[in-house]
């Protein structure tokens, strides 16, 4: 647990310094340490920045604790995998030993027979004289006095196990943990090493040549077996088997046939490792260019390893290789990555080993990703979203959906003129499928045409729906535990905002104020205060830009909105003056050929001055709100992009398209994190809306196949 | 709807489409529909073309599986009945229409509850439509929209019987609403012909004299 501890320490330090620096003694009441130092002298003064800071501090602490738990969990999981591997190794070892005993028995019988024949000139009758037969393939063919006395397990199963463990390591991608476990292993190996040394002394009775290959020492053992007593030979055999087992644990597949490619590769790798260790030793503690914690930690482990190799140096050259191989193969995968690179400079075997490095490099990358912070790391862990709930009850295309801000509740709006309320906690178990069916709790009927858009108030008490009939209805949300077949309550419909004269295509609700934006095919964008007596606050229209298709409030400038138009223009307006403030400039190519570049959806980033637009020409474009310049443009889908949603933290972007897929994007580096094929086509339409739950890990998609799906 | 030669027609309602242009695209021949929702697309296309041409709407394309055809039509009926329910919500109050009745002969009990209940007419309407929506979308009975088990097709009859009561209640108690709605959608006429054609309801239960009226005014239906 050393690494996480260190990490925690380094991360906590600046924050607590910050805390002290910003708050000073005046708000010491918030912090236990401060409280102790300033007790009695200071009155507790609460200030808004102080409180905010305290909340942020607490939040950071919780996040950190959570990531700590994640670390612990990953660690335990790694440990389980490790122990499982070890158990397998032990089993192999056992089988190996049993076989060896049988072999020795056989040899002994043969010797006796020979002796008897020489002495008495007759055959000795001593029962079963058949060579032992083994079930395992690849062992049965083993020659009794051959070159390869201890291939205990077939290559395949070793490689499978090795592959499995590697996969696992990549999956958890948590190098800190690995190093930790690894260092434990190294230490326990050192413990084991004492035993090995004891055995080594036995071995030293024989002249042991410095070997290059794994089978060499065994060969010597074999050779030495003939003149010496059987017991000693058995000891040597056992030791060889133990070593073989080490190698298994090290995931280093040692094959005894010299011409086998794999074994060569691995042996090379082993040699490389040895070289690398030496290089590292030579380059010493400086370790330039590798300054992060992980490497520092790896350095410690490395020192242990050096210690190990040094001990072994005294006994047997070959065993040194074994040890190193063990260490690097087992745990070093990622940690040793950069170090190996160092070693490659003067290494002949580089090409072979770079193959291995490919995987290692990946591991290092995932390690970097972890460094983004506690939040990023938790996200990193839950990389894949899977369909969990299928919401089936609409008769026609689902046009829009919106989540409740807190509860696992959502509303869908459909072309069948209705909206439906769903509670994800009230599921109907569906047979034969992993996904759960949910039945709607309430059906909102009032629109006389398809319902096209939806917005949920930030309190979750009300929602607004805009339809093809030009109406915007304001609904009071029924209790999410309502009986689906309760009697009709007309008060669910709170009000009707009916100033639009054509289809209402977009709604957006202000996060703090009770204000609503709507855009309509009648060419206007309207600002509403739905609770007031005269709900319509103002109307915006632009001859130049044409029909608005989507609107959103700009989050960092509460008095601004961004409107997107079918003409592919995108403009930020000041709500007070009703004047355009910034025109988000279309790139040159767009200006040249405006046809087919319609913006289908515009969303404002929750924290950054960034506007994201979804276009008919398969692009998603990012604009800077202050300069109005295009920041990034990417072909995001195979067909028109219809919908966008940004997660509440602003880290991920979700997009839906008529190509039937939804895609999750990392806002930071604009890479696609996941793609899910979610809905079927009706005519040429497929996915019409996507959404993030504001506070829970749910995402949802709405499709023209009359279904909505929720992913977890 | 702009149509350029050589450019494939995209049958989409893009954001910003005006209400009058909604779903107004050139018909797609049934043979060219490759979607799993082809039957729904086809039915909606036929209705959009001419809602009063019921014979045309009820004529299935060649080789169409009858179970799916009936199922998709019933979905469409339930969907369009939402329109009637919206109008009834404004006029049919639980205080005045305390029971679901048409003629004085029957009081209909709401089957949406564990034990059938004497719901007010508007509740009966809503519950029946909600229940039909659940049944017709049920993963258990209708997991596919391409092929439907015979045992599930058998369920369509009872759905028809229940939703028909909405027509009859509207006809006998909210005649103005019924007439307005019928003049726009021809829904009751279509429904009556549909259930007759496919034998989903017995003639005795079809109490709204809609076809007779037409015969009286000289219009003849298939």
């Amino acid at each position: 647990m050393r690494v996480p501890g260190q990490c925690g320490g380094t991360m906590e330090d600046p924050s607590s310094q910050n805390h002290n620096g910003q708050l000073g003694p005046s708000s010491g009441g918030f912090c236990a340490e401060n409280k102790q130092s300033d007790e009695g002298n200071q009155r507790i003064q609460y200030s808004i920045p102080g409180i905010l800071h305290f909340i942020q501090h607490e939040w950071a602490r919780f996040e950190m604790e959570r990531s700590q738990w994640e670390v612990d969990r990953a660690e335990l999981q790694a440990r389980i995998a490790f122990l499982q591997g070890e158990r397998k190794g032990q089993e192999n070892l056992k089988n190996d030993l049993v076989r060896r005993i049988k072999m020795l028995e056989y040899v002994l019988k043969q010797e006796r027979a020979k002796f008897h024949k020489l002495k008495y000139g007759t055959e000795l009758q001593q029962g079963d004289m058949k060579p032992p037969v083994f079930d395992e393939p690849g062992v049965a063919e083993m020659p009794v006095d051959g070159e390869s006395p201890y291939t205990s397990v077939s290559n395949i199963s070793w490689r499978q196990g090795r592959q499995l463990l590697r996969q696992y390591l990549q999956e958890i991608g948590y190098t800190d943990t690995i190093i930790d476990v690894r260092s434990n292993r190294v230490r326990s190996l050192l413990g084991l090493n004492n035993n090995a040394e004891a055995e080594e002394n036995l071995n030293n009775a024989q002249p042991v040549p410095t070997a290059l290959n794994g089978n060499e020492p065994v060969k010597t053992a074999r050779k030495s077996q003939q003149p010496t007593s059987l017991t000693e030979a058995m000891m040597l055999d056992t030791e060889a088997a133990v070593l073989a087992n080490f190698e298994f644990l090290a995931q280093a597949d040692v094959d005894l046939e010299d011409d086998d490619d794999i074994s060569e590769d691995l042996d090379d790798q082993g040699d490389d490792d040895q070289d690398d260790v030496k290089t590292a030793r030579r380059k010493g503690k400086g370790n330039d260019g590798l300054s992060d914690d992980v490497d520092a930690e790896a350095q410690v482990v490395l020192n242990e390893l050096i210690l190990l190799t040094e001990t072994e140096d005294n006994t047997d050259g070959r065993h040194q290789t074994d040890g190193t191989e063990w260490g690097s193969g087992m745990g070093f995968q990622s940690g040793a990555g950069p170090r190996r690179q160092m070693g490659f400079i003067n290494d002949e075997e580089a090409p072979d080993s770079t193959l291995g490095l490919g995987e290692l490099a990946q591991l290092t990358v995932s390690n970097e990703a972890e460094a983004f912070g506690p939040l990023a790391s938790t996200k990193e862990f839950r990389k894949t979203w899977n369909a969990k709930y299928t919401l089936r009850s609409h008769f026609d295309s689902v046009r829009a959906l919106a989540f409740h801000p807190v509860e696992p509740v959502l509303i869908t709006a459909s072309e069948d003129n209705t909206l439906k309320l769903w509670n994800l906690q009230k599921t109907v178990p569906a047979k034969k499928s992993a996904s759960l069916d949910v039945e709607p709790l309430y059906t909102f009927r009032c629109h006389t045409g398809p319902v096209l858009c939806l917005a949920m108030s930030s309190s979750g008490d009300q929602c607004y729906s805009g339809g093809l009939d030009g109406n915007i209805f304001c609904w009071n949300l029924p209790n999410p535990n309502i009986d689906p077949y309760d009697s009709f309550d007309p008060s669910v419909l709170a009000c009707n905002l009916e100033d639009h004269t054509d289809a209402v295509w977009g709604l957006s609700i202000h996060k703090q104020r009770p204000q609503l934006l709507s855009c309509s095919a009648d060419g206007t964008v309207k600002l509403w205060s739905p609770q007031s007596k005269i709900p319509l606050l103002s109307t915006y229209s632009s001859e130049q830009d044409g029909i608005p298709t989507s609107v959103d409030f700009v989050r960092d400038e509460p008095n601004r909105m961004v409107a997107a138009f079918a003409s592919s223009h995108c403009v930020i307006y000041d709500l007070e003056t009703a004047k355009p403030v910034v025109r988000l400039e279309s790139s040159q190519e767009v200006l040249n050929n405006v046809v087919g570049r319609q913006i289908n959806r515009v969303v404002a980033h929750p924290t950054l001055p960034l506007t994201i637009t979804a276009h008919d020409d398969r692009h998603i474009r990012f604009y800077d709100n202050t300069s109005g310049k295009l920041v990034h443009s990417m072909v995001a889908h195979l067909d028109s992009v219809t919908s966008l949603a940004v997660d509440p933290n602003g880290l991920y972007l979700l997009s839906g398209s008529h190509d039937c897929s939804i895609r999750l994007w990392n806002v930071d580096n604009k890479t696609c994190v996941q793609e899910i094929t979610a809905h079927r086509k009706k005519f040429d339409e497929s996915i019409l809306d996507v959404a993030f739950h504001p506070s829970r890990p749910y995402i949802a998609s709405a499709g023209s196949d009359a279904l909505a799906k929720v992913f977890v | 709807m702009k149509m350029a030669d050589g450019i494939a027609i995209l049958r989409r309602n893009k954001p910003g489409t005006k209400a009058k242009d909604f779903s107004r695209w050139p018909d797609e021949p049934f043979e060219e529909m490759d979607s799993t929702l082809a039957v729904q697309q086809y039915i909606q296309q036929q209705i959009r073309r001419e809602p009063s041409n019921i014979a045309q709407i009820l004529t299935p394309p060649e080789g169409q599986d009858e179970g799916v055809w009936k199922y998709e039509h019933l979905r469409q009926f339930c969907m369009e009945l939402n329109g009637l329910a919206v109008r009834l919500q404004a006029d049919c109050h639980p205080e005045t229409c305390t029971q679901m009745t048409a003629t004085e002969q029957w009081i209909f009990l709401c089957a949406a509850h564990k034990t059938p209940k004497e719901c007010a007419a508007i509740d009966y309407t809503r519950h029946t439509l909600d229940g039909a929506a659940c049944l017709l979308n049920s993963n258990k009975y209708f997991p596919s929209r391409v092929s439907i088990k015979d045992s599930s097709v058998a369920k369509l009859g009872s759905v028809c019987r229940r939703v028909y009561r909405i027509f009859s209640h509207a006809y006998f108690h909210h005649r103005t609403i019924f007439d307005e709605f019928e003049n726009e959608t021809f829904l009751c006429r279509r429904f009556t012909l549909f259930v007759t054609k496919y034998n989903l309801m017995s003639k005795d239960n079809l109490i709204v004299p809609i076809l007779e009226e037409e015969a009286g005014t000289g219009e003849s239906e298939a």
Side-chain angles (χ1 to χ4, degrees):
Chain A
M1 285 304 296
R2 255 182 308 154
V3 168
Q6 278 183 2
C7 278
T10 48
M11 290 176 69
E12 197 150 22
D13 281 344
S15 70
S16 62
Q17 277 166 15
N18 241 344
H19 181 250
N20 292 339
Q22 283 187 14
L23 283 183
S26 63
S27 46
F30 293 127
C31 181
E33 305 106 77
N34 284 359
K35 197 175 182 177
Q36 278 168 0
S37 58
D38 302 326
E39 219 171 13
N41 302 340
Q42 294 292 333
R43 279 228 323 248
I44 296 162
Q45 290 178 355
Y46 294 99
S47 63
I48 292 297
I51 291 165
L52 276 177
H53 190 85
F54 174 68
I55 290 167
Q56 277 170 351
H57 178 75
E58 285 293 291
W59 180 80
R61 200 164 59 80
F62 284 134
E63 282 300 320
M64 215 143 69
E65 270 170 16
R66 199 168 70 182
S67 61
Q68 191 74 41
W69 293 332
E70 297 283 359
V71 169
D72 288 353
R73 201 181 67 157
E75 205 168 356
L76 288 172
Q77 278 171 341
R79 180 94 187 125
I80 288 167
F82 192 87
L83 289 173
Q84 277 170 344
E86 203 164 36
R87 203 190 111 219
K88 211 166 149 191
Q90 292 293 345
E91 271 167 14
N92 291 332
L93 176 63
K94 196 199 87 192
N95 291 340
D96 202 26
L97 290 173
V98 168
R99 213 189 54 246
R100 221 167 299 280
I101 289 165
K102 284 186 181 164
M103 256 163 21
L104 289 170
E105 271 172 5
Y106 174 66
V107 171
L108 179 64
K109 281 174 185 169
Q110 271 195 330
E111 281 294 322
R112 276 187 195 148
K114 212 195 277 174
F115 181 67
H116 196 266
K117 199 175 176 184
L118 284 172
K119 199 173 180 186
Y120 301 108
T122 55
E123 289 287 338
L124 172 72
Q125 293 300 310
Q126 52 172 2
D128 185 23
M129 270 301 288
K130 281 177 188 149
V133 182
F134 307 105
D135 294 338
E136 292 162 285
V139 178
E141 63 194 85
M142 201 180 60
V144 177
D145 55 348
E147 300 284 299
S148 42
Y150 71 88
T151 311
S152 61
V153 193
S154 66
N155 269 340
I156 303 128
S157 63
W158 266 358
R159 281 165 71 183
Q160 276 175 349
R162 178 196 163 102
Q163 207 60 37
L164 221 106
L165 275 167
R166 175 169 295 165
Q167 250 178 21
Y168 183 75
L169 288 173
Q170 276 176 342
E171 220 171 85
I172 55 170
Y174 215 85
T175 328
D176 293 11
T177 322
I178 294 160
I179 288 172
D180 238 8
V181 174
R182 191 190 307 147
S183 61
N184 281 342
R185 291 312 301 168
V186 171
R187 259 178 250 117
S188 67
L189 182 73
L190 282 170
L192 274 175
N193 193 40
N194 298 336
N195 300 342
E197 246 180 307
E199 285 171 355
E200 227 52 61
N201 295 337
L202 269 175
N203 209 8
N204 280 349
Q206 311 296 325
V208 182
T210 313
L212 289 169
N213 270 322
N215 53 345
E216 287 294 329
V218 188
K219 270 188 194 166
T220 23
R222 271 281 153 199
K223 274 180 225 143
S224 63
Q225 188 190 338
Q226 274 156 0
T228 51
S229 74
L230 281 169
T231 40
E232 194 182 335
M234 248 171 85
M235 281 290 271
L236 290 171
D237 252 356
T238 318
E239 183 216 319
V242 168
L243 284 171
N245 207 45
F246 279 178
E247 279 165 13
F248 166 74
L249 287 174
Q251 303 169 329
D253 185 4
V254 177
D255 200 306
L256 293 161
E257 288 152 40
D258 286 350
D259 55 349
D260 190 310
D261 287 344
I262 305 150
S263 80
E264 250 172 24
D265 278 357
L266 286 160
D267 280 358
D268 288 345
Q269 210 177 328
D271 291 347
D272 291 343
D273 290 340
Q274 198 181 348
D275 287 350
D276 294 344
V277 172
K278 280 173 184 161
T279 336
R281 212 192 302 169
R282 254 186 270 118
K283 297 214 172 171
K285 284 82 192 167
N287 230 343
D288 5 325
L290 304 160
S291 50
D292 55 318
D293 288 359
V294 176
D295 279 321
E297 185 60 24
Q299 185 70 43
V300 175
V301 182
L302 201 78
N303 288 338
E304 282 171 343
L305 246 162
I306 291 162
L307 200 80
L308 170 75
T309 43
E310 273 167 358
T311 342
E312 298 221 317
D313 267 336
N314 301 335
T315 57
D316 189 340
R318 169 58 201 159
H319 290 144
Q320 177 189 346
T321 318
D322 277 349
T324 337
E325 200 171 300
W326 189 90
S328 59
M330 188 60 220
F332 263 87
Q333 296 284 9
S334 52
R339 202 153 285 107
R340 274 196 194 172
Q341 244 167 345
M342 243 158 60
F344 283 161
I345 299 158
N346 45 12
D347 195 54
E348 310 168 77
E349 306 289 344
D352 271 343
S353 312
T354 32
L355 284 173
L357 197 72
E359 293 160 351
L360 299 173
Q362 277 179 10
L363 274 180
T364 329
V365 167
S366 69
N367 188 29
E368 278 166 6
E370 296 298 333
F372 283 139
L375 206 97
S377 72
T378 54
K379 287 276 180 186
E380 200 66 37
F381 272 116
R382 50 169 316 140
K383 254 180 204 161
T384 50
W385 295 82
N386 296 307
K388 183 157 183 206
Y389 305 98
T390 308
L391 278 46
R392 39 177 100 226
S393 186
H394 281 296
F395 286 121
D396 209 340
S397 310
V398 183
R399 274 274 162 193
L401 45 77
F403 275 107
H404 189 277
V406 188
E407 302 292 330
V409 165
L410 75 159
I411 295 179
T412 51
S414 163
E415 282 185 26
D416 67 8
N417 303 7
T418 65
L419 295 96
K420 285 178 195 265
L421 174 76
W422 312 77
N423 185 343
L424 297 179
Q425 281 170 337
K426 293 202 164 179
T427 55
V428 180
K431 280 173 196 161
K432 286 184 271 175
S433 80
S435 69
L436 297 160
D437 275 9
V438 192
E439 282 194 1
L441 285 176
Y442 190 84
T443 305
F444 303 85
R445 292 185 175 88
C446 218
H447 283 284
T448 53
V451 192
L452 303 174
C453 51
L454 194 56
M456 180 83 79
S457 73
S458 46
S459 63
D461 296 336
Q462 290 182 313
C463 78
Y464 303 88
S465 63
L468 196 70
D469 52 15
N471 288 319
I472 300 167
F473 289 115
C474 169
W475 310 88
N476 293 316
L477 242 62
N479 185 311
N481 295 311
I482 190 179
D483 172 12
Y485 298 105
D486 213 344
S487 48
F488 175 56
D489 179 6
S491 70
V492 169
L493 178 68
C495 61
N496 179 10
L497 313 171
E498 48 188 354
D499 288 280
H500 280 298
T501 56
D502 208 325
V504 180
W505 276 99
L507 287 174
S508 175
I509 201 135
H510 200 280
K511 289 281 173 269
Q512 285 90 37
R513 297 193 299 258
Q515 287 187 347
L516 181 75
L517 273 174
S518 65
C519 71
S520 162
D522 63 12
T524 60
V525 173
K526 290 181 194 286
L527 179 69
W528 310 85
S529 174
Q531 316 295 341
S532 327
K533 277 191 179 147
I534 307 153
L536 183 62
L537 296 177
S538 40
T539 301
Y540 316 85
S541 65
S542 163
E543 288 288 320
Q544 173 194 4
D545 298 309
I547 292 176
T549 55
S550 180
V551 278
D552 200 2
F553 282 101
V554 175
R555 305 295 173 81
D556 56 336
E557 295 267 5
N559 267 320
R560 290 183 181 183
M561 65 148 179
V562 57
F565 296 87
S567 57
S568 91
H569 295 163
C570 194
V571 183
I572 294 179
Y573 282 90
D574 188 296
L575 291 170
E576 298 289 326
T577 63
K579 293 272 182 293
V581 186
V582 185
R583 298 188 71 86
L584 302 177
E585 275 177 35
S586 312
S587 60
Q588 208 56 44
E589 46 162 354
V590 172
L591 284 174
N592 289 341
N593 183 11
V594 172
V595 178
R597 314 260 174 183
Q598 149 156 16
I599 300 176
N600 288 322
R601 188 66 64 91
V602 62
V603 288
H605 192 278
T607 51
L608 304 170
L610 191 70
T611 296
I612 308 164
T613 53
H615 295 251
D616 244 5
D617 65 353
R618 301 174 292 150
H619 281 75
I620 293 176
R621 295 188 167 89
F622 299 77
Y623 295 94
D624 184 281
N625 285 353
T626 41
S627 68
K629 291 274 180 285
L630 182 74
V631 180
H632 186 75
S633 169
M634 60 187 183
V635 176
H637 281 274
L638 303 172
D639 207 331
S640 307
V641 188
T642 56
S643 45
L644 293 173
V646 186
D647 88 312
N649 299 314
L651 297 173
Y652 290 91
L653 173 73
L654 193 62
S655 64
S657 156
H658 287 318
D659 69 3
C660 301
S661 73
I662 59 172
R663 293 186 184 191
L664 188 66
W665 306 85
N666 186 324
V667 172
D668 196 40
N669 54 22
K670 319 283 194 288
T671 53
C672 183
V673 182
Q674 199 185 351
E675 181 190 355
I676 310 167
T677 305
H679 293 277
R680 299 233 170 107
K681 278 198 168 186
K682 182 192 165 200
F683 287 111
D684 291 310
E685 297 186 318
S686 176
I687 290 165
L688 299 167
D689 201 9
V690 289
F692 267 102
H693 194 287
S695 57
R696 290 177 188 244
Y698 291 117
I699 58 174
S701 63
S704 58
D705 54 2
L707 303 179
K709 290 186 180 178
V710 177
F711 304 81
V712 293
Chain B
M1 194 78 219
K2 60 175 163 292
M3 272 181 62
D5 283 328
I7 296 173
I9 304 154
L10 286 176
R11 293 178 174 83
R12 284 179 187 157
N13 296 308
K14 292 181 187 176
T17 305
K18 289 188 179 291
K20 65 177 170 58
D21 295 326
F22 196 83
S23 295
R24 258 186 54 188
W25 47 62
D27 283 354
E28 186 174 20
F30 182 71
E31 306 80 54
E32 284 174 24
M33 295 180 182
D34 50 0
S35 149
T36 50
L37 307 175
V39 182
Q40 186 191 22
Q41 291 179 21
Y42 181 74
I43 293 171
Q44 291 184 343
Q45 192 169 284
Q46 299 293 68
I47 294 171
R48 213 171 289 129
R49 190 195 279 168
E50 183 50 69
S52 65
N53 192 349
I54 293 163
Q56 175 89 46
I57 294 167
L58 293 181
T59 309
E62 222 158 287
Q64 176 58 46
D65 176 87
E66 199 177 281
V68 176
W69 178 251
K70 288 193 280 190
Y71 169 73
E72 288 293 346
H73 260 294
L74 191 53
R75 280 181 70 105
Q76 185 70 26
F77 282 122
C78 291
M79 179 170 135
E80 292 189 45
L81 267 167
N82 280 326
L84 184 56
V86 167
R87 289 166 199 246
L88 286 176
Q89 270 175 185
D91 197 50
C92 177
H93 301 290
E95 301 82 38
T96 50
C97 299
T98 52
Q99 294 166 327
M100 186 65 171
T101 54
T103 54
E104 296 308 310
Q105 202 180 352
W106 298 101
I107 295 169
F108 299 115
L109 297 185
C110 183
H113 311 273
K114 273 191 187 123
T115 50
K117 216 164 115 185
E118 215 175 282
C119 281
I122 189 63
D123 291 332
Y124 185 98
T125 304
R126 292 175 56 90
H127 296 169
T128 302
L129 288 176
D130 291 349
C134 283
L135 179 74
L136 294 178
N137 283 295
S138 148
N139 204 19
K140 190 173 160 199
Y141 298 112
F142 302 100
S144 158
R145 287 173 73 172
V146 184
S147 73
I148 294 170
K149 291 181 296 215
D150 288 343
S151 59
S152 301
V153 173
K155 302 231 170 256
L156 300 181
S158 63
V159 177
C160 287
R161 242 181 311 119
R162 292 200 184 108
V163 298
Y164 184 78
R165 290 166 192 162
I166 301 170
F167 286 120
S168 55
H169 177 77
Y171 182 83
F172 289 104
H173 296 268
H174 310 277
R175 186 62 188 269
T176 33
I177 287 179
F178 179 87
D179 286 345
E180 272 173 34
F181 184 71
E182 188 60 22
N183 287 337
E184 272 177 41
T185 61
F186 308 94
L187 197 66
C188 185
R189 224 160 303 176
R190 189 167 85 207
F191 190 86
T192 310
L193 287 167
F194 169 73
V195 292
T196 315
K197 180 171 181 179
Y198 293 102
N199 251 327
L200 291 162
M201 281 171 69
S202 77
K203 281 229 152 46
D204 305 343
N205 286 332
L206 296 168
I207 50 176
V208 179
I210 190 114
L211 301 178
E212 290 82 342
E213 258 175 37
E214 268 168 24
T217 56
E219 275 181 45
S220 67
E221 287 294 342

